[in-house]
Amino acid sequence: MSLIAVWSPLRGGSGSTMLATSLPIVLAFEYQVKVLLAHGGYHGERVEQAFTHRKETLDYITAFQDSGMDALERLDASGRLSPENVRNYTLPLLSDRLDLLCGPRHMPEHEFESAKHAEDGNQATLMNRVMESSKRSYDVTIADAGNGAPGTSDRAILLGADLIVVALNQNLHALERELVQERLPSELTDKHRLYVIGKYDRESNCTLQNIKRRFGIKNVVLGVPYCSGMTDAWNMRSILPYMQRSRGGADLRRMNPLYNAVHHVADAAAEQLGLPAGASKAGGLHAFG
């Protein structure tokens, strides 16, 4: 149904990849939706770093190589890529709720230079077809479109997105350099956008309201605070169990601040996309509409 792209104009420091990882988990927990998590990078990069891949058996390794973008590329080349079979080549993270689509493996170095231009064009075309197929086989697809100047696959994600989550931080020098219309990719033009300030510090003078006013942002701006537990979970490739614990149980009474903030982002995205309303509304300590 819908494609959400998570992208940052900053080369780092916005927490965009952590947001791209945690947002689909919260959507899968809090909404009755089937979610796909994808990205425009290579195998083992970006959001894939948040999860542990089993490697103990040869059978599993063989199966793993027959999944992800490489497998979908073979399907596309044979004319058999369709919305119905995309999910057959993903890795399940939450049964019947959340799947992960792994990126393609790096081309061998000796082949890279001669095939680079052809590969870029092929990857953009493939990504476009996969995203269109996923929008028909999943309720929501969330794709990490990277940081800084987008590559060819990332541009295909941004072009196909129904909503772009723009990840920023509280560094005004970086925002002044990057957050001007002339420097934003043309793929963002006329797109629905949601701005998220990563590693947000409520005590800073650079508040959500000040950022909106200074840069003339008319969209909703939300803050996601820094969380050392999340950083540790990322380093241990255990984001999924960490987010499960952070939810605070079935009654949500012990929800930690990071999960609460990402929940607000999920609600704002759901409102933009027309998903059923969640339990909370975008607002509170880490939101400014």
Side-chain angles (χ1 to χ4, degrees), residues 1-2 4 23 27-28 30-35 138-142 163 265-278 281:
M1 291 174 58
S2 302
I4 301 173
L23 180 58
L27 280 170
E30 308 300 338
Y31 289 83
Q32 295 298 316
V33 290
K34 176 79 172 179
V35 186
Y138 288 85
D139 298 307
V140 181
T141 297
I142 297 180
L163 172 67
V265 177
D267 286 343
E271 186 173 347
Q272 286 271 11
L273 299 174
L275 298 178
K281 293 294 183 182

Side-chain angles (χ1 to χ4, degrees), residues 167-273:
L168 306 172
N169 58 28
Q170 290 172 288
N171 184 339
L172 286 179
H173 302 294
L175 297 185
E176 287 172 349
R177 183 174 63 250
E178 301 292 345
L179 199 58
V180 291
Q181 186 64 38
E182 291 78 8
R183 299 196 63 166
L184 292 178
S186 59
E187 288 81 4
L188 271 68
T189 304
D190 299 326
K191 293 281 188 179
H192 293 294
R193 295 181 221 168
L194 175 65
Y195 290 81
V196 176
I197 310 301
K199 303 179 182 179
Y200 183 65
D201 180 2
R202 291 178 55 217
E203 303 302 320
S204 170
N205 290 329
C206 184
T207 64
L208 302 177
Q209 184 174 2
N210 287 341
I211 290 173
K212 285 196 70 169
R213 182 172 56 247
R214 184 170 189 139
F215 297 102
I217 299 174
K218 305 301 182 183
N219 312 75
V220 172
V221 178
L222 301 157
V224 174
Y226 174 78
C227 179
S228 57
M230 182 66 156
T231 301
D232 291 340
W234 179 271
N235 290 335
M236 296 173 64
R237 296 180 180 266
S238 59
I239 293 292
L240 189 53
Y242 176 78
M243 293 298 288
Q244 288 174 317
R245 295 193 302 271
S246 300
R247 189 169 183 256
D251 57 6
L252 306 182
R253 291 181 181 177
R254 300 183 304 280
M255 184 185 297
N256 80 4
L258 182 134
Y259 189 99
N260 186 46
V262 178
H263 196 173
H264 290 323
V265 177
D267 286 343
E271 186 173 347
Q272 286 271 11
L273 299 174

Side-chain angles (χ1 to χ4, degrees), residues 148-171:
T152 51
S153 292
D154 295 327
R155 286 187 179 277
I157 291 171
L158 293 173
L159 275 172
D162 301 291
L163 172 67
I164 298 177
V165 177
V166 182
L168 306 172
N169 58 28
Q170 290 172 288
N171 184 339

Side-chain angles (χ1 to χ4, degrees), residues 22 66 97 207 241:
S22 57
D66 196 33
R97 302 301 297 275
T207 64

